[in-house]
Amino acid sequence: MAEEGILLGMGNPLLDISAKVDHDFLEKYDLKPNNAILAEEKHIPLYDELASNYKVEYIAGGATQNSIRVAQWMLQIPGATSYIGSIGKDKFGEEMKKNAKAAGVRVHYYEDDTPTGTCGVCVVGGDRSLVANLSAANRYKVDHLKKPEIWALVEKAKYYYIAGFFLTVSPESILLVAEHAAANNKIFSTNLSAPFICEFFKDVQDKVIPYADFVFGNETEARTFSKVHGWETEDVEEIALKISQLPRASGKNNRVAVITQGADPVVVAEDGKVKLLPIIPLPKEKLVDTNGA
């Protein structure tokens, strides 16, 4: 039986603004299918265009929050999961709270004076292209984490999941949680999250990975990770094995590396061995989109 608050997530809460668009829309905003980027100046009009011209769905999103909501749905115990992040004091922030609470997640948001972060989810033929405007999500402060009532959530949890996207916001907060997990023999997991994280946030990612019991990623992220570490291999199985064997902060055994490959088998590397787990194919007509998949 899962306990209350057993799983804690920390990340960038973003209100997903999801809509089906066409290739012209992707071209207009210089977007690639199945990619994730941070918004630049040229992307800012995209959010209004989506909301005004397309049939949009609002979802309490952000990589970690999505995973926590799915875990909550699987556990079926009210309040089994908690989530920490930063939102704005605005209508999107209220929408986010309402959405997350309806999913049964205990959310503990730091509320900032900037607008709530949004993520344009541009769906074309089942593939999704993500454009994140972090805004308030970018303003998370480690001081919030250190508040006694918030740190109590960290102490209560036994499992932690923080996606790599949060490395762009508060590496200090991630390391505090990671060190607590290692010192108390709890399970800490992270995700490579996006090629740009592996590339441009390599130094902080390299500080966090030693604490990770589980590292998740997809084939594109794994190949980028391999490239920036000078491993000179594109073989996903070999990369998964190397990630699983990177040094551990605790000196414990190897970690587990899990690399997904879309419709190809999932690669799981552990204890010097690689397993391939076949996926259960979904008929094309049942595929909605790959957001949050």
Side-chain angles (χ1 to χ4, degrees), residues 7-20:
L7 169 64
L8 173 68
M10 187 162 64
N12 301 335
L14 301 172
L15 193 69
D16 282 356
I17 303 172
S18 179
K20 285 184 176 164

Side-chain angles (χ1 to χ4, degrees), residues 122-289:
C122 311
V123 180
V124 178
D127 284 338
R128 55 94 181 115
S129 189
L130 306 180
V131 188
N133 183 15
L134 295 183
S135 204
N138 217 4
R139 304 294 282 268
Y140 189 79
K141 308 278 186 291
V142 72
D143 304 350
H144 177 258
L145 181 65
K146 288 177 176 172
K147 284 183 171 176
E149 68 274 24
I150 303 298
W151 189 251
L153 302 169
V154 177
E155 294 189 317
K156 192 170 188 192
K158 293 187 179 156
Y159 301 89
Y160 308 91
Y161 176 67
I162 305 175
F165 290 121
F166 202 54
L167 290 169
T168 71
V169 174
S170 186
E172 201 184 340
S173 300
I174 301 177
L175 285 166
L176 269 185
V177 173
E179 284 159 6
H180 168 83
N184 294 277
N185 210 14
K186 296 174 175 184
I187 301 293
F188 179 82
S189 47
T190 189
N191 199 309
L192 300 179
S193 288
F196 82 87
I197 299 285
C198 305
E199 235 168 325
F200 303 116
F201 294 87
K202 174 186 181 290
D203 294 353
V204 279
Q205 190 175 54
D206 283 349
K207 284 185 184 145
V208 170
I209 299 257
Y211 293 97
D213 296 279
F214 289 85
V215 173
F216 299 95
N218 67 25
E219 72 278 42
T220 324
E221 295 149 10
R223 288 185 176 122
T224 306
F225 190 90
S226 169
K227 191 171 108 190
V228 300
H229 286 84
W231 290 347
E232 295 184 352
T233 177
E234 294 235 318
D235 182 309
V236 175
E237 293 178 40
E238 196 182 334
I239 297 165
L241 201 53
K242 280 180 176 288
I243 292 173
S244 73
Q245 292 170 333
L246 286 169
R248 292 291 306 265
S250 61
K252 278 197 296 196
N253 293 341
N254 289 356
R255 71 182 50 78
V256 181
V258 181
I259 308 295
T260 62
Q261 309 186 89
D264 293 323
V266 177
V267 177
V268 180
E270 183 184 10
D271 292 334
K273 297 185 199 70
V274 175
K275 280 191 296 218
L276 293 178
L277 305 175
I279 58 109
I280 300 164
L282 190 71
K284 261 281 192 278
E285 62 277 9
K286 280 200 167 177
L287 179 69
V288 179
D289 63 63

